[in-house]
């Protein structure tokens, strides 16, 4: 009286597609890395120095297999969905509690005012919440944490202590002379020497990490003129300090927008680096810029010159002027030329706010 059990082939019942495998394995590994980052942060808070352990090629490839660009576009659309009035306060209050947002600085403190998460992320501050330092020549363009700063040496820049990336890979090929107001150095010199336009000057860098709870707009760090924009479509891996310590040349892998130009001491650049869920980078005066777009492929870059027949100078920016914004949080990298007596007024790891001094002569 036994009944026969009819079973379908395993392949029909449980089909694994490559995309699903990549999402599952990559997502799981990304979660594991988040846990490792948390443990490192706890050790740092206790004053214990953490040795540098770089990711192997297969680990980087596995992380990059996670469809972070697609997920970030989906997150961006979710952020634009209008929330019911009754739901806004609970949702925003949870975010405020999780990331330590100081709403007393916001121009509008009433949480019901923000129709969606995108508006809340891009909230403006009260006029006097960030006074701009007038004494020092370079100020912080944003709120955030100082990951690293100092002189650029041997065409390598430190993203965090002990982990470097190539200056040329990060900025891309030298911008043509026609797009810059200053003359180009001899082509026989190194890439770093080509950026230094005045004898006796050095090249400096500063890396600022914007956490999700920080003010998401960024401003002009000094008086300068923007002459060129270079957009690198790329990955959108996390840029928190733990990952920056783990993946070499992380900033060269990720999508970024490089603004270059000059200030009174020569070459000056500001780069906005994208990250997971931060596919949207907006530059206020550049309406042609569209980041995290499916039409752009990784491994390429797109140039745009702000110098034209009608505009011989480029885009002038005043210190403290609104420049752009992120959707959530990310990283800003300053690379600029200055005399040898330029001094940073910083400590690695310190918190800084927009308008505070970075350094001066």
């Amino acid at each position: 009286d036994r009944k026969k059990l009819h079973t379908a082939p395993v392949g029909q019942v449980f089909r694994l597609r490559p995309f699903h495998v990549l999402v599952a394995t990559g997502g799981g590994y990304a979660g594991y890395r988040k846990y490792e980052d948390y443990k490192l942060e706890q050790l740092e808070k206790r004053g214990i120095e953490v040795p540098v352990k770089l990711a192997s090629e297969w680990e980087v490839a596995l992380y990059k297999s996670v469809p972070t660009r697609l997920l970030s576009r989906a997150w961006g659309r979710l952020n634009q969905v209008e929330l019911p009035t009754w739901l806004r306060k609970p949702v925003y209050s949870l975010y405020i509690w999780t990331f330590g947002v100081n709403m007393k600085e916001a121009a509008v403190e009433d949480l019901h005012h923000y129709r969606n998460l995108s508006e809340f992320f891009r909230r403006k501050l009260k006029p006097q919440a960030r006074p701009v330092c007038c004494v020092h020549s370079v100020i912080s363009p944003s709120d955030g944490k100082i990951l690293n700063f100092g002189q650029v040496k041997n065409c390598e820049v430190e993203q965090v202590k002990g982990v470097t990336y190539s200056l040329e890979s990060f900025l891309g090929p030298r911008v043509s002379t026609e797009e810059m107001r200053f003359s180009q150095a001899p082509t026989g010199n190194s890439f770093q020497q080509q950026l230094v336009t005045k004898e006796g000057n050095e090249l400096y860098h500063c890396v600022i990490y914007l956490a999700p709870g920080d003010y998401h707009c960024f401003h002009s760090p000094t008086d300068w003129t923007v002459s060129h924009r270079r957009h690198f479509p790329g990955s959108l891996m996390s840029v928190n300090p733990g990952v920056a310590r783990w993946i070499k040349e992380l900033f060269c892998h990720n999508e970024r927008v490089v603004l270059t130009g000059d200030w009174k001491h020569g070459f000056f650049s500001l780069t906005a680096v994208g990250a997971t869920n931060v596919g949207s980078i907006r530059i206020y005066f550049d309406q042609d810029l569209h980041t995290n777009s499916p039409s752009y492929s990784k491994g390429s870059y797109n140039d745009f010159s702000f110098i034209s027949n009608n505009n011989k100078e480029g885009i002038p920016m005043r210190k403290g002027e609104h420049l752009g914004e992120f959707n959530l949080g990310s990283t800003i990298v300053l690379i600029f030329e200055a005399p040898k007596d330029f001094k940073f007024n910083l400590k690695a790891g310190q918190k800084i706010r927009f308008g505070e001094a970075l350094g001066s002569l």
Side-chain angles (χ1 to χ4, degrees), residues 115-127:
R115 295 173 298 176
N116 51 48
L117 284 166
S118 182
E119 286 188 2
F120 179 72
F121 293 148
R122 296 181 288 106
R123 63 193 176 275
K124 304 302 180 184
L125 299 181
K126 293 175 180 176

Side-chain angles (χ1 to χ4, degrees), residues 156-185:
E156 293 281 324
V157 184
E158 281 194 318
Q159 59 191 30
V160 293
K161 185 177 181 181
V163 182
T164 62
Y165 56 92
S166 163
L167 178 65
E168 186 169 6
S169 297
F170 181 70
L171 295 179
R174 182 77 166 92
V175 178
S176 63
T177 310
E178 290 79 9
E179 296 170 340
M180 308 296 282
R181 289 202 300 163
F182 42 84
S183 61
Q184 188 172 352

Side-chain angles (χ1 to χ4, degrees), residues 2-263:
R2 294 179 181 176
K3 295 181 179 179
K4 293 184 178 180
L5 297 177
H6 295 278
T7 57
V10 175
Q12 295 180 11
V13 177
F14 186 67
R15 292 182 179 179
L16 283 178
R17 298 179 180 179
F19 177 78
H20 297 154
V21 173
L22 288 175
V23 171
T25 56
Y29 194 76
Y32 166 74
R33 288 306 315 172
K34 285 286 187 181
Y35 174 69
E36 291 293 311
D37 297 341
Y38 172 77
K39 292 198 298 184
L40 290 176
E41 288 179 4
Q42 296 305 309
L43 291 174
E44 287 183 343
K45 288 180 180 178
R46 292 161 55 185
I48 301 175
E49 186 172 349
V50 181
V52 175
K53 184 181 178 181
L54 295 177
S56 61
E57 290 186 8
W58 72 266
E59 287 178 309
V60 176
L62 181 58
Y63 191 1
K64 292 176 72 172
S65 71
V66 180
T68 51
R69 297 179 72 185
L70 178 62
L71 292 173
S72 296
R73 285 196 290 270
W75 176 254
R77 291 185 180 181
L78 179 63
N79 288 347
Q80 295 174 4
V81 174
E82 185 170 345
L83 297 176
T85 305
W86 62 269
L87 189 58
R88 295 174 187 177
K89 187 171 183 179
V91 170
Y92 301 147
S93 295
L94 177 61
Y95 186 91
I96 290 168
W97 177 79
T98 303
F99 297 108
V101 178
N102 183 4
M103 284 302 294
K104 292 183 179 180
E105 298 176 333
V108 180
E109 297 184 40
D110 182 11
L111 298 181
H112 296 100
H113 169 80
Y114 303 100
R115 295 173 298 176
N116 51 48
L117 284 166
S118 182
E119 286 188 2
F120 179 72
F121 293 148
R122 296 181 288 106
R123 63 193 176 275
K124 304 302 180 184
L125 299 181
K126 293 175 180 176
Q128 302 304 320
R130 296 289 187 275
V132 175
C133 176
C134 298
V135 177
H136 296 270
S137 56
V138 183
I139 62 169
S140 176
S142 67
D143 290 4
K145 179 181 180 180
I146 301 295
L147 294 189
N148 216 298
F149 63 93
Q151 283 189 18
V152 177
K153 298 179 180 179
N154 302 319
C155 294
E156 293 281 324
V157 184
E158 281 194 318
Q159 59 191 30
V160 293
K161 185 177 181 181
V163 182
T164 62
Y165 56 92
S166 163
L167 178 65
E168 186 169 6
S169 297
F170 181 70
L171 295 179
R174 182 77 166 92
V175 178
S176 63
T177 310
E178 290 79 9
E179 296 170 340
M180 308 296 282
R181 289 202 300 163
F182 42 84
S183 61
Q184 188 172 352
T187 55
N189 294 342
S190 69
F191 183 79
Q192 178 178 338
Q193 291 172 327
Q194 290 179 34
L195 297 182
V196 178
T197 63
K198 298 181 180 180
E199 187 176 354
N201 282 2
E202 297 287 347
L203 205 62
Y204 297 87
H205 74 98
C206 182
V207 184
I208 305 170
Y209 166 68
L210 289 76
D214 287 328
Y215 168 57
H216 299 313
C217 296
F218 51 93
H219 301 245
S220 176
T222 191
D223 295 337
W224 65 308
T225 301
V226 184
S227 56
H228 184 268
R229 178 258 291 164
R230 176 167 286 158
H231 171 216
F232 289 85
S235 300
L236 289 173
M237 295 183 284
S238 172
V239 293
N240 73 55
V243 177
R245 186 185 295 108
W246 179 55
I247 297 181
K248 183 178 174 63
E249 297 204 334
L250 171 64
F251 299 155
C252 297
H253 290 294
N254 271 16
E255 181 164 19
R256 58 198 182 277
V257 176
V258 182
L259 300 178
T260 55
D262 65 307
W263 69 320

